[in-house]
Amino acid sequence: VLPVIGEHSDRLSIAAVNGPDSLVISGDQTAAETVAAHFQAQGRKTKQLTVSHAFHSPHMNPMLDEFQRTAAELTYH
């Protein structure tokens, strides 16, 4: 998958490896659809997940500082 993601690596990343034949990519929707179309053309099964954000992708980086500040204020039990 990495060679196919390669040209989109600034907009996509591997979010999860669920097994030897199953993984999730995350990031820019248009780039993800392009990668999915590539594998669909090879007869591979793809599925777009219904999520509110591109979790596990560079799209989440802008919120990390605020998340860290909030997490540091919590008391964990």
Side-chain angles (χ1 to χ4, degrees):
V1 173
L2 286 176
V4 178
I5 289 177
E7 65 187 69
H8 307 283
S9 63
D10 59 329
R11 297 178 291 150
L12 288 177
S13 59
I14 293 177
V17 177
N18 296 325
D21 296 320
S22 176
L23 62 84
V24 178
I25 60 172
S26 182
D28 181 76
Q29 183 173 354
T30 303
E33 289 169 349
T34 299
V35 170
H38 170 86
F39 288 107
Q40 288 169 347
Q42 294 181 348
R44 302 211 181 222
K45 179 182 170 187
T46 67
K47 176 182 176 182
Q48 183 174 346
L49 301 178
T50 303
V51 295
S52 61
H53 292 76
F55 296 105
H56 306 291
S57 81
H59 286 279
M60 298 305 293
N61 290 347
M63 61 77 61
L64 292 178
D65 289 338
E66 182 178 350
F67 181 79
Q68 184 176 15
R69 284 191 299 276
T70 300
E73 295 173 1
L74 298 175
T75 301
Y76 296 92
H77 299 277

